[in-house]
Amino acid sequence: MVYKTELILREIYKDDSPPDTAKIMMVYNKMMKSKPGRKECNSYYYLVKILSRAEKKNEMIHVLRRLVKTVPEDRHVRFWLALELHNQKKYREAEKHFVILLKKESKDKAFPFRKT
Protein backbone atom coordinates (compact mmCIF):
# COMPACT_ATOMS: atom_id res chain seq x y z
CA MET A 1 0.00 0.00 0.00
CA VAL A 2 1.18 3.49 -0.71
CA TYR A 3 2.62 5.22 2.35
CA LYS A 4 0.72 8.45 1.61
CA THR A 5 -2.59 6.58 1.61
CA GLU A 6 -1.72 5.06 4.98
CA LEU A 7 -1.03 8.50 6.44
CA ILE A 8 -4.31 9.91 5.13
CA LEU A 9 -6.16 6.89 6.51
CA ARG A 10 -4.69 7.35 9.99
CA GLU A 11 -5.38 11.09 9.89
CA ILE A 12 -9.06 10.50 9.05
CA TYR A 13 -9.34 7.72 11.65
CA LYS A 14 -7.95 9.86 14.48
CA ASP A 15 -10.07 12.90 13.59
CA ASP A 16 -13.24 13.19 15.70
CA SER A 17 -15.06 15.52 13.32
CA PRO A 18 -17.35 14.11 10.60
CA PRO A 19 -15.17 12.51 7.91
CA ASP A 20 -14.59 14.23 4.57
CA THR A 21 -16.45 12.04 2.08
CA ALA A 22 -14.24 12.95 -0.89
CA LYS A 23 -11.08 12.08 1.03
CA ILE A 24 -12.56 8.81 2.28
CA MET A 25 -13.63 7.75 -1.19
CA MET A 26 -10.19 8.58 -2.58
CA VAL A 27 -8.56 6.32 0.04
CA TYR A 28 -11.23 3.65 -0.50
CA ASN A 29 -10.68 3.60 -4.27
CA LYS A 30 -6.90 3.37 -3.89
CA MET A 31 -7.14 0.56 -1.37
CA MET A 32 -9.68 -1.41 -3.40
CA LYS A 33 -7.32 -1.54 -6.37
CA SER A 34 -4.99 -3.85 -4.47
CA LYS A 35 -5.62 -7.17 -2.78
CA PRO A 36 -5.19 -6.92 1.00
CA GLY A 37 -2.47 -9.03 2.52
CA ARG A 38 -2.40 -10.18 6.12
CA LYS A 39 -0.03 -7.32 6.97
CA GLU A 40 -2.48 -4.71 5.67
CA CYS A 41 -5.51 -6.01 7.58
CA ASN A 42 -5.32 -3.29 10.22
CA SER A 43 -5.45 -0.59 7.55
CA TYR A 44 -8.53 -2.19 6.02
CA TYR A 45 -10.09 -2.51 9.47
CA TYR A 46 -9.55 1.24 10.02
CA LEU A 47 -11.10 1.90 6.62
CA VAL A 48 -14.20 -0.07 7.61
CA LYS A 49 -14.56 1.97 10.80
CA ILE A 50 -14.18 5.22 8.85
CA LEU A 51 -16.73 4.11 6.24
CA SER A 52 -19.10 3.25 9.06
CA ARG A 53 -18.79 6.74 10.53
CA ALA A 54 -19.41 8.20 7.06
CA GLU A 55 -22.45 5.91 6.64
CA LYS A 56 -21.05 4.32 3.48
CA LYS A 57 -22.63 0.92 4.15
CA ASN A 58 -22.19 -0.65 0.69
CA GLU A 59 -18.49 0.23 0.57
CA MET A 60 -18.12 -1.02 4.12
CA ILE A 61 -19.57 -4.41 3.18
CA HIS A 62 -17.25 -4.59 0.18
CA VAL A 63 -14.18 -4.04 2.41
CA LEU A 64 -15.45 -6.51 5.03
CA ARG A 65 -15.91 -9.18 2.33
CA ARG A 66 -12.30 -8.68 1.28
CA LEU A 67 -11.13 -8.93 4.87
CA VAL A 68 -13.06 -12.16 5.41
CA LYS A 69 -11.39 -13.63 2.31
CA THR A 70 -7.98 -12.56 3.58
CA VAL A 71 -8.40 -13.69 7.20
CA PRO A 72 -11.31 -16.14 7.30
CA GLU A 73 -10.42 -17.22 10.84
CA ASP A 74 -11.08 -13.72 12.26
CA ARG A 75 -14.47 -14.14 13.94
CA HIS A 76 -14.92 -10.46 14.76
CA VAL A 77 -14.65 -9.37 11.12
CA ARG A 78 -16.94 -12.19 9.96
CA PHE A 79 -19.51 -11.31 12.63
CA TRP A 80 -19.36 -7.63 11.68
CA LEU A 81 -19.93 -8.56 8.02
CA ALA A 82 -22.82 -10.88 8.89
CA LEU A 83 -24.43 -8.22 11.06
CA GLU A 84 -24.11 -5.52 8.39
CA LEU A 85 -25.51 -7.84 5.72
CA HIS A 86 -28.43 -8.65 7.99
CA ASN A 87 -29.07 -4.96 8.67
CA GLN A 88 -29.18 -4.33 4.92
CA LYS A 89 -31.66 -7.18 4.48
CA LYS A 90 -29.20 -9.41 2.63
CA TYR A 91 -30.32 -12.34 4.72
CA ARG A 92 -29.04 -15.25 2.63
CA GLU A 93 -25.46 -14.04 2.57
CA ALA A 94 -25.64 -13.06 6.24
CA GLU A 95 -26.95 -16.51 7.12
CA LYS A 96 -23.94 -18.18 5.48
CA HIS A 97 -21.57 -16.22 7.70
CA PHE A 98 -23.65 -16.84 10.85
CA VAL A 99 -23.61 -20.59 10.10
CA ILE A 100 -19.82 -20.56 9.72
CA LEU A 101 -19.51 -18.74 13.05
CA LEU A 102 -21.82 -21.22 14.77
CA LYS A 103 -19.91 -24.19 13.38
CA LYS A 104 -16.62 -22.74 14.63
CA GLU A 105 -18.13 -22.12 18.04
CA SER A 106 -19.50 -25.65 18.32
CA LYS A 107 -16.10 -27.10 17.34
CA ASP A 108 -14.42 -25.01 20.01
CA LYS A 109 -16.85 -26.27 22.64
CA ALA A 110 -16.24 -29.87 21.56
CA PHE A 111 -12.46 -29.40 21.76
CA PRO A 112 -11.86 -26.75 24.44
CA PHE A 113 -8.07 -27.11 24.41
CA ARG A 114 -7.68 -26.83 20.65
CA LYS A 115 -6.07 -23.66 19.36
CA THR A 116 -7.80 -21.89 16.46
Side-chain angles (χ1 to χ4, degrees), residues 12 15 17-22 24 50 53-54:
I12 297 169
D15 192 8
S17 63
D20 179 15
T21 306
I24 293 169
I50 293 167
R53 278 192 348 219

mmCIF file of all heavy atoms in Angstrom, residues 12 15 17-22 24 50 53-54:
data_model
loop_
_atom_site.group_PDB
_atom_site.id
_atom_site.type_symbol
_atom_site.label_atom_id
_atom_site.label_comp_id
_atom_site.label_asym_id
_atom_site.label_seq_id
_atom_site.Cartn_x
_atom_site.Cartn_y
_atom_site.Cartn_z
ATOM 1 N N ILE A 12 -7.596 10.522 9.048
ATOM 2 C CA ILE A 12 -9.056 10.496 9.053
ATOM 3 C C ILE A 12 -9.560 9.696 10.255
ATOM 4 O O ILE A 12 -10.519 10.094 10.922
ATOM 5 C CB ILE A 12 -9.616 9.892 7.745
ATOM 6 C CG1 ILE A 12 -9.239 10.751 6.541
ATOM 7 C CG2 ILE A 12 -11.124 9.739 7.817
ATOM 8 C CD1 ILE A 12 -9.526 10.090 5.206
ATOM 9 N N ASP A 15 -9.275 11.675 13.543
ATOM 10 C CA ASP A 15 -10.072 12.900 13.593
ATOM 11 C C ASP A 15 -11.471 12.598 14.127
ATOM 12 O O ASP A 15 -12.132 11.670 13.672
ATOM 13 C CB ASP A 15 -10.162 13.512 12.197
ATOM 14 C CG ASP A 15 -10.708 14.919 12.208
ATOM 15 O OD1 ASP A 15 -10.875 15.495 13.297
ATOM 16 O OD2 ASP A 15 -10.958 15.451 11.105
ATOM 17 N N SER A 17 -14.031 14.817 14.080
ATOM 18 C CA SER A 17 -15.058 15.517 13.317
ATOM 19 C C SER A 17 -15.620 14.599 12.232
ATOM 20 O O SER A 17 -15.014 13.583 11.888
ATOM 21 C CB SER A 17 -14.480 16.782 12.692
ATOM 22 O OG SER A 17 -13.458 16.454 11.779
ATOM 23 N N PRO A 18 -16.783 14.934 11.673
ATOM 24 C CA PRO A 18 -17.347 14.108 10.598
ATOM 25 C C PRO A 18 -16.346 13.967 9.447
ATOM 26 O O PRO A 18 -15.729 14.939 9.030
ATOM 27 C CB PRO A 18 -18.583 14.884 10.151
ATOM 28 C CG PRO A 18 -18.931 15.743 11.312
ATOM 29 C CD PRO A 18 -17.644 16.060 12.005
ATOM 30 N N PRO A 19 -16.166 12.741 8.965
ATOM 31 C CA PRO A 19 -15.168 12.510 7.913
ATOM 32 C C PRO A 19 -15.511 13.190 6.588
ATOM 33 O O PRO A 19 -16.669 13.323 6.230
ATOM 34 C CB PRO A 19 -15.148 10.993 7.758
ATOM 35 C CG PRO A 19 -16.259 10.460 8.552
ATOM 36 C CD PRO A 19 -16.849 11.537 9.375
ATOM 37 N N ASP A 20 -14.462 13.616 5.897
ATOM 38 C CA ASP A 20 -14.589 14.227 4.575
ATOM 39 C C ASP A 20 -14.850 13.110 3.559
ATOM 40 O O ASP A 20 -13.990 12.278 3.302
ATOM 41 C CB ASP A 20 -13.310 14.993 4.246
ATOM 42 C CG ASP A 20 -13.337 15.636 2.876
ATOM 43 O OD1 ASP A 20 -14.421 15.735 2.278
ATOM 44 O OD2 ASP A 20 -12.255 16.045 2.403
ATOM 45 N N THR A 21 -16.037 13.118 2.976
ATOM 46 C CA THR A 21 -16.453 12.038 2.079
ATOM 47 C C THR A 21 -15.528 11.902 0.872
ATOM 48 O O THR A 21 -15.178 10.779 0.481
ATOM 49 C CB THR A 21 -17.899 12.262 1.602
ATOM 50 O OG1 THR A 21 -18.742 12.439 2.743
ATOM 51 C CG2 THR A 21 -18.395 11.084 0.800
ATOM 52 N N ALA A 22 -15.111 13.006 0.289
ATOM 53 C CA ALA A 22 -14.236 12.953 -0.891
ATOM 54 C C ALA A 22 -12.900 12.298 -0.550
ATOM 55 O O ALA A 22 -12.395 11.460 -1.308
ATOM 56 C CB ALA A 22 -14.010 14.356 -1.438
ATOM 57 N N ILE A 24 -12.313 10.227 1.959
ATOM 58 C CA ILE A 24 -12.564 8.815 2.280
ATOM 59 C C ILE A 24 -12.676 7.993 1.002
ATOM 60 O O ILE A 24 -12.082 6.918 0.889
ATOM 61 C CB ILE A 24 -13.847 8.655 3.107
ATOM 62 C CG1 ILE A 24 -13.666 9.271 4.478
ATOM 63 C CG2 ILE A 24 -14.242 7.197 3.250
ATOM 64 C CD1 ILE A 24 -14.951 9.387 5.253
ATOM 65 N N ILE A 50 -13.979 3.883 9.432
ATOM 66 C CA ILE A 50 -14.179 5.217 8.853
ATOM 67 C C ILE A 50 -15.412 5.226 7.951
ATOM 68 O O ILE A 50 -16.231 6.143 8.012
ATOM 69 C CB ILE A 50 -12.927 5.669 8.071
ATOM 70 C CG1 ILE A 50 -11.764 5.900 9.028
ATOM 71 C CG2 ILE A 50 -13.216 6.924 7.255
ATOM 72 C CD1 ILE A 50 -10.424 6.035 8.336
ATOM 73 N N ARG A 53 -18.505 5.384 10.034
ATOM 74 C CA ARG A 53 -18.785 6.743 10.526
ATOM 75 C C ARG A 53 -19.363 7.628 9.429
ATOM 76 O O ARG A 53 -20.178 8.500 9.694
ATOM 77 C CB ARG A 53 -17.500 7.396 11.054
ATOM 78 C CG ARG A 53 -17.156 6.997 12.431
ATOM 79 C CD ARG A 53 -16.069 7.828 13.067
ATOM 80 N NE ARG A 53 -15.326 8.707 12.219
ATOM 81 C CZ ARG A 53 -14.028 8.937 12.312
ATOM 82 N NH1 ARG A 53 -13.314 8.328 13.224
ATOM 83 N NH2 ARG A 53 -13.422 9.776 11.505
ATOM 84 N N ALA A 54 -18.934 7.406 8.199
ATOM 85 C CA ALA A 54 -19.410 8.203 7.060
ATOM 86 C C ALA A 54 -20.717 7.653 6.480
ATOM 87 O O ALA A 54 -21.239 8.184 5.508
ATOM 88 C CB ALA A 54 -18.349 8.249 5.973
#
